[in-house]
Amino acid sequence: MSSKRFAPLLVALVLLLAGCAGAGNPVSANGGGDGGELAASGDAEAPQEQAQQSGGDGGGSADSVAQADAISQQRAIIRTGRMVVEVDNFSTSRTAVAAEARSLGGYVSDSNQRLHRSGNATWRTGYVVVRIPSEDYESMQEYAGARGTIVSEETETQDVTDQLVDLEARLENLRQRRDRLRTFYSRANDTEELLRIEEQLSEVQGEIERLEAQRRSLEQRVAFSTLRVELREPAPGASDIRAQYHQQSLVAVFLGSVEDVYVFGRATLVTGAAALPWLAVLAVPVLGVRRALRGRSFSLPSVRSDDSDVGEEADESDSGTTDTEDESGGTENEERGAGADSTESTDDRE
């Protein structure tokens, strides 16, 4: 009887122990399942992380390339150009180029015009210098070249990136020094020290302003390119000038000749008026030399008169001698003639 009473209790105890053991096993099973899931998720996420890391490396290289491109695009380049364009009408082309520069946000910095003449033919040449934004430089070149025939074209570039970087670094150092000096100035108690710090502060501030002005100038030149457009109207040829001259009226040619005569006469009068003082100055030594020469000419004729007298006496003596010789010759002839007559008379007598 006793064993029968304890049997149900034993069975109930065994079932209770079995239920507790069953309840513990699901917990352990669930715990193992969670660990497996974590391991599986870890194994699955590892390739993803590796893929992300490899993708990150590729993205980093792409970013570095993009940054290099951005830096190359941000280079500070100053561009200066010059164009020579042959146009039909100078005034119209110059106005059009200036208007195009203003429409692009630029302005005209300088211009010049010159009129040429050859006979009745006239033509104009000149230039216009425009400052336009750097990004519109090529479009401005194309517009100016489309106004006529491009004779020559050139562009010069200057990279000032390093200069701007250097200026910025120097400015940063000077600003920091200025801040330190201001701090020392606010803490100084001695008057002499205050004056010394104030002097240094003034020097630093002046240097900062100078460098900032240089930086602004470079930035302005980088932001606005310079283009010099030289415009030339074609000069007329010799045949054109000759044809135009023949086409002139007679009245115009006559009036032109009268004007030329007037210009020549006026030029002659002006030249004579300019030379008159010089002639007056040069006349004094000329008159002196002439007077001296006249004095010498007065003394020479007296010598010549003496020589002429001597010559006349010599001529007279020569003529006298000749006459004497003639007379003696005549006497001798007469004597010879008489002798011959006497001889003939003697012969007759015989």
Side-chain angles (χ1 to χ4, degrees):
M1 287 292 294
S2 60
S3 59
K4 292 180 179 180
R5 291 180 181 177
F6 287 106
L9 294 175
L10 292 173
V11 172
L13 181 61
V14 170
L15 292 175
L16 179 61
L17 293 174
C20 291
N25 289 332
V27 171
S28 61
N30 290 334
D34 294 338
E37 290 178 356
L38 290 173
S41 64
D43 295 337
E45 289 176 355
Q48 293 179 358
E49 290 178 356
Q50 293 177 357
Q52 290 178 357
Q53 289 178 358
S54 61
D57 296 336
S61 61
D63 293 339
S64 62
V65 173
Q67 290 178 359
D69 294 338
I71 291 173
S72 62
Q73 292 177 359
Q74 292 177 358
R75 301 291 297 180
I77 305 296
I78 297 176
R79 283 191 293 185
T80 304
R82 175 179 175 270
M83 297 180 63
V84 179
V85 184
E86 189 174 278
V87 296
D88 296 331
N89 191 300
F90 174 82
S91 300
T92 303
S93 300
R94 183 184 64 175
T95 303
V97 170
E100 180 67 15
R102 294 188 185 95
S103 66
L104 294 175
Y107 59 93
V108 177
S109 63
D110 191 12
S111 64
N112 185 27
Q113 177 181 352
R114 184 177 181 183
L115 179 64
H116 304 269
R117 292 183 181 274
S118 180
N120 288 334
T122 60
W123 69 97
R124 290 179 173 84
T125 60
Y127 63 87
V128 56
V129 181
V130 295
R131 300 290 305 278
I132 62 281
S134 298
E135 59 272 13
D136 298 324
Y137 180 79
E138 288 82 5
S139 62
M140 187 68 213
Q141 273 187 325
E142 294 177 358
Y143 182 83
R147 302 303 304 175
T149 303
I150 299 176
V151 179
S152 64
E153 181 179 0
E154 59 183 9
T155 301
E156 296 180 357
T157 59
Q158 181 182 1
D159 191 348
V160 294
T161 305
D162 296 338
Q163 297 182 22
L164 288 174
V165 172
D166 181 65
L167 287 174
E168 188 61 33
R170 293 170 63 185
L171 284 171
E172 185 64 25
N173 293 332
L174 289 173
R175 292 191 187 102
Q176 293 179 1
R177 184 182 177 187
R178 180 183 61 184
D179 294 338
R180 289 195 300 269
L181 288 173
R182 287 176 177 176
T183 302
F184 295 154
Y185 185 82
S186 62
R187 296 177 181 178
N189 296 323
D190 188 3
T191 303
E192 183 177 357
E193 185 177 0
L194 287 173
L195 293 175
R196 182 175 57 82
I197 295 174
E198 184 177 1
E199 182 179 359
Q200 294 180 3
L201 187 60
S202 178
E203 293 178 357
V204 171
Q205 183 64 31
E207 186 68 15
I208 290 174
E209 292 177 356
R210 186 180 67 83
L211 294 180
E212 286 179 347
Q214 291 183 5
R215 187 187 63 180
R216 285 194 299 268
S217 177
L218 289 176
E219 291 176 350
Q220 181 71 12
R221 293 172 62 189
V222 170
F224 284 84
S225 299
T226 303
L227 180 62
R228 176 189 174 102
V229 183
E230 297 184 6
L231 304 173
R232 300 178 181 177
E233 292 180 351
S239 59
D240 298 336
I241 296 174
R242 191 178 299 109
Q244 292 177 2
Y245 179 77
H246 287 295
Q247 292 175 359
Q248 293 180 358
S249 63
L250 296 177
V251 177
V253 173
F254 176 76
L255 294 177
S257 299
V258 171
E259 185 178 359
D260 293 339
V261 171
Y262 169 75
V263 172
F264 176 76
R266 186 176 180 83
T268 304
L269 292 176
V270 171
T271 305
L276 186 59
W278 294 98
L279 294 175
V281 172
L282 295 175
V284 175
V286 170
L287 293 175
V289 172
R290 186 176 179 182
R291 183 171 297 178
L293 293 176
R294 281 184 179 179
R296 291 182 180 180
S297 64
F298 289 150
S299 60
L300 290 175
S302 61
V303 176
R304 290 179 180 176
S305 61
D306 296 338
D307 295 338
S308 62
D309 294 338
V310 174
E312 289 176 357
E313 292 177 356
D315 293 337
E316 290 177 356
S317 61
D318 293 338
S319 60
T321 305
T322 304
D323 294 338
T324 305
E325 290 177 355
D326 293 337
E327 291 176 354
S328 61
T331 305
E332 290 177 356
N333 291 331
E334 288 177 356
E335 292 177 353
R336 288 178 183 176
D341 291 338
S342 64
T343 303
E344 289 177 356
S345 63
T346 303
D347 292 335
D348 290 335
R349 287 175 184 179
E350 291 176 357

